[in-house]
Amino acid sequence: MKVTYQTCCGADVHKKFPVATIIKTTGGIEPSYQKKRFSTFNNSILEFKRWLLENNCHDVCMESTGKYWVPVFNLLEDEINVTIANPKWVKAVKGNKDDEKDSKWIGDLFRLGLVKGSYIPCKTIRILREYTRYRCKLVSCRSSEKNRYQNALTVCNVALDSVVSDIFGKSSSSIIDCLVQQPDTSISHEEIASKLLGSLKSKKDAVIESIEGYQMTDAQKYRMRLIRTHMDYITSEINDIDSVIKKLVSSDPGYENAVQLLMTIPGVKYNSAATIISEIGIDMSQFCTSKRLCCWAGLTPGSNESAGKKKSVQVTRAGVYLKPALVQCAHAAVKSDKSPYYKKKYETIARRRGRKRAIIAVARMILTAVFQMLSAGEEWNPGDLYKIDMPQALVEKQKAKAVKQAKKLLLREGIISESQLVS
């Protein structure tokens, strides 16, 4: 095999120490190896950096083990080209491995160009990614608390969720607060009716019937107050994170323009656009093609072929944060009546392949559009948009043109005559 890096280093990073092996390829067949162990403290990592520069080594490959590689990467990235490899590409053979052998194996693979580097964005994008991912976790935590709150109502014989569409709406919240504050389990029909707003006024009898005879002890009321307080706290935290994300995005005109571009896609709002930017950045040259980006995001099926037969496979497990965000955008896009482009695509695919595969297909279409838009700096404008979302005037014009062409074809083939055409 051809040697890609004449001088490189393979590093096996752990929580307390990294083990590094510098490989130098000289005139001989066998390369030379230098092994050394360091600590993960900053002064030791800087010593590791000096050791690399003293040996004229500017290319390092590390395995992405958890977050342990991040401190080393932070101190090396300014002067050294660091490649972060997925563990499955540098995994050593079992039964013949230790820390030094692992670092040597990583270096040998990297030296021959057999290691695929993972995408590591710039520090600004990495910081934005920390906030968007933390926001995702908080939203998930708030959803869990909402489920607990609704389950608490169910076990207390309150069936309000069977009548109202949103148990956390204004009317529902005021009714539940009234029940929690009651010293006993009695209710006043007039008081409950006075808390109903909008279309719920017509459902007054059903609302009262759903809560009549509820059973709620003081301990259960106290737990519900705790859950509601925690929900309100998480909501305030999410609002604070949203303001920080907006500041981070607005701090760079490139990020702000990218977010505004992505918001022209149906179903993509500000938070979703910021999440997409935090995961893939704004420089699409890292991925080369849209197919490579979709594969990296886990929106393409794996390859499983044996004896000339291709077997059905699921999409890959990549894109832990990016894929759910795109699927969420896809669900919003297929419900949009203002821009029915993705809705028509979804309905066409769903008839043949099912709803779940259709949603994944729409998510991939959105990511492909994101790649093209960020590469060209243009707004969302698919080439076949007029075929799906065509103005009525253009529909009539194309229909008249098709009728005219059909008449000419019938006349040319002698199927009908001029007199029959006039009649």
Side-chain angles (χ1 to χ4, degrees):
M1 289 186 178
K2 183 179 179 181
V3 176
T4 305
Y5 299 97
Q6 298 294 326
T7 302
C8 63
C9 176
D12 186 26
V13 182
H14 300 278
K15 181 179 181 180
K16 295 183 178 181
F17 61 89
V19 178
T21 302
I22 292 180
I23 306 176
K24 292 184 177 181
T25 305
T26 55
I29 299 176
E30 287 292 331
S32 61
Y33 298 92
Q34 298 181 52
K35 300 178 182 178
K36 202 168 183 180
R37 174 171 165 170
F38 301 89
S39 170
T40 51
F41 295 152
N42 292 334
N43 56 354
S44 184
I45 296 175
L46 292 174
E47 182 185 350
F48 173 39
K49 181 178 180 181
R50 288 192 295 270
W51 180 63
L52 292 172
L53 295 176
E54 288 171 359
N55 287 275
N56 197 27
C57 180
H58 295 274
D59 298 288
V60 177
C61 180
M62 295 189 299
E63 184 182 0
S64 59
T65 50
K67 294 294 183 181
Y68 300 146
W69 60 271
V70 178
V72 182
F73 183 85
N74 290 336
L75 296 179
L76 296 184
E77 65 174 332
D78 57 342
E79 295 186 61
I80 295 174
N81 300 321
V82 184
T83 300
I84 306 300
N86 191 304
K88 70 179 180 180
W89 299 114
V90 294
K91 190 174 183 181
V93 179
K94 289 184 178 180
N96 187 27
K97 65 187 294 296
D98 54 32
D99 297 332
E100 291 187 355
K101 289 181 180 179
D102 284 346
S103 65
K104 178 178 177 295
W105 176 253
I106 293 171
D108 284 333
L109 293 177
F110 183 61
R111 168 176 163 267
L112 299 174
L114 299 177
V115 178
K116 296 181 180 179
S118 300
Y119 166 61
I120 307 296
C122 63
K123 193 162 187 177
T124 308
I125 291 292
R126 296 203 301 266
I127 294 173
L128 178 62
R129 179 185 290 182
E130 291 174 2
Y131 277 95
T132 55
R133 290 184 175 184
Y134 184 49
R135 185 186 187 278
C136 178
K137 292 293 185 182
L138 288 181
V139 171
S140 178
C141 183
R142 184 175 61 179
S143 300
S144 298
E145 290 294 340
K146 285 184 177 181
N147 291 337
R148 292 188 187 96
Y149 195 75
Q150 192 158 344
N151 291 338
L153 292 175
T154 302
V155 299
C156 294
N157 294 77
V158 178
L160 191 60
D161 57 334
S162 300
V163 181
V164 300
S165 59
D166 183 12
I167 199 68
F168 299 98
K170 196 169 183 180
S171 300
S172 304
S173 298
S174 59
I175 291 174
I176 295 171
D177 291 340
C178 178
L179 299 181
V180 173
Q181 294 170 4
Q182 286 287 338
D184 51 15
T185 57
S186 61
I187 61 172
S188 172
H189 292 192
E190 293 77 11
E191 184 178 4
I192 296 298
S194 65
K195 297 181 181 298
L196 300 179
L197 302 174
S199 60
L200 274 181
K201 291 182 179 180
S202 60
K203 300 180 181 180
K204 179 183 69 173
D205 296 336
V207 170
I208 294 175
E209 186 179 358
S210 67
I211 62 178
E212 187 77 46
Y214 73 99
Q215 303 292 323
M216 191 179 295
T217 64
D218 292 338
Q220 290 174 319
K221 292 178 181 179
Y222 179 69
R223 178 172 174 266
M224 292 185 65
R225 284 194 290 268
L226 288 178
I227 296 174
R228 192 59 190 249
T229 303
H230 192 204
M231 284 171 49
D232 295 339
Y233 172 74
I234 294 175
T235 301
S236 65
E237 289 289 304
I238 292 174
N239 294 334
D240 291 342
I241 289 177
D242 287 341
S243 62
V244 176
I245 290 175
K246 288 183 179 179
K247 289 180 181 178
L248 291 173
V249 171
S250 60
S251 63
D252 191 310
Y255 302 153
E256 183 70 29
N257 294 335
V259 168
Q260 295 300 325
L261 279 179
L262 298 190
M263 288 175 64
T264 61
I265 303 176
V268 178
K269 301 303 179 185
Y270 188 90
N271 288 327
S272 300
T275 300
I276 294 172
I277 292 299
S278 69
E279 294 295 328
I280 66 175
I282 60 176
D283 182 13
M284 295 296 101
S285 62
Q286 295 280 352
F287 302 100
C288 300
T289 63
S290 60
K291 291 183 178 180
R292 180 73 189 92
L293 174 59
C294 292
C295 180
W296 181 83
L299 291 174
T300 56
S303 178
N304 186 9
E305 182 178 353
S306 180
K309 296 181 180 179
K310 291 185 178 181
K311 301 180 181 179
S312 177
V313 290
Q314 298 178 348
V315 292
T316 55
R317 296 176 62 183
V320 179
Y321 291 90
L322 179 59
K323 191 194 305 181
L326 291 170
V327 170
Q328 183 179 2
C329 294
H331 277 289
V334 300
K335 295 177 183 177
S336 175
D337 292 325
K338 293 182 179 179
S339 300
Y341 177 80
Y342 289 119
K343 184 177 181 179
K344 299 292 185 181
K345 296 279 189 180
Y346 169 79
E347 291 173 351
T348 303
I349 300 173
R351 283 194 293 266
R352 297 182 291 108
R353 304 289 292 164
R355 296 181 180 274
K356 292 185 178 180
R357 287 188 176 93
I359 280 292
I360 293 296
V362 173
R364 179 170 178 171
M365 293 177 194
I366 292 176
L367 187 57
T368 303
V370 168
F371 178 88
Q372 299 296 339
M373 291 165 62
L374 294 180
S375 299
E378 299 176 354
E379 294 186 357
W380 181 80
N381 186 24
D384 58 343
L385 178 61
Y386 274 118
K387 295 181 180 179
I388 294 176
D389 191 13
M390 192 180 297
Q392 188 61 32
L394 188 58
V395 172
E396 297 297 332
K397 184 178 179 180
Q398 288 196 353
K399 187 184 294 184
K401 183 178 179 181
V403 171
K404 184 178 179 181
Q405 290 177 346
K407 290 179 179 178
K408 286 183 178 180
L409 176 63
L410 293 175
L411 288 172
R412 187 168 61 249
E413 297 295 331
I415 299 176
I416 59 175
S417 60
E418 289 283 353
S419 59
Q420 290 176 325
L421 186 60
V422 172
S423 61

